[in-house]
Amino acid sequence: RAQRNIGIFTMEEHNIIGGLGDRVSAIFSESKHNPIFHSFGVNDAFIKEVGNCDYLREKAGLSPDYIAKKISQIMGRE
């Protein structure tokens, strides 16, 4: 059961449109619950750079450090 004082986050290494985050968001929009929710994923744009997985995750905003910092901000802990 989702409550407002908890955070629900989805993370996916592909386009956020039509992904898991979209589905979870739709479920909450249809319910009476209103938790803190944020979806991490690749924006609807091509990354025109080349590099290893860690580099590309950094460019897409999917690095562990960025995700941890963003969750702290969203939850009001920073």
Side-chain angles (χ1 to χ4, degrees), residues 3-52:
Q3 298 172 343
R4 180 71 188 149
N5 61 347
I6 64 168
I8 297 175
F9 302 91
T10 61
M11 293 164 224
E12 45 200 325
E13 289 186 319
H14 56 82
N15 196 307
I16 56 175
I17 297 171
L20 176 64
D22 261 2
R23 185 63 194 129
V24 172
S25 177
I27 290 168
F28 286 123
S29 71
E30 297 167 0
S31 77
K32 63 180 179 176
H33 302 292
N34 189 22
I36 296 169
F37 175 75
H38 185 79
S39 180
F40 293 93
V42 179
N43 290 325
D44 191 23
F46 289 104
I47 297 175
K48 298 178 181 178
E49 299 179 48
V50 177
N52 64 25

Side-chain angles (χ1 to χ4, degrees), residues 47 52-66:
I47 297 175
N52 64 25
C53 288
D54 290 336
Y55 176 78
L56 294 174
R57 285 183 190 114
E58 184 76 35
K59 286 299 199 181
L62 296 173
S63 70
D65 288 340
Y66 176 79

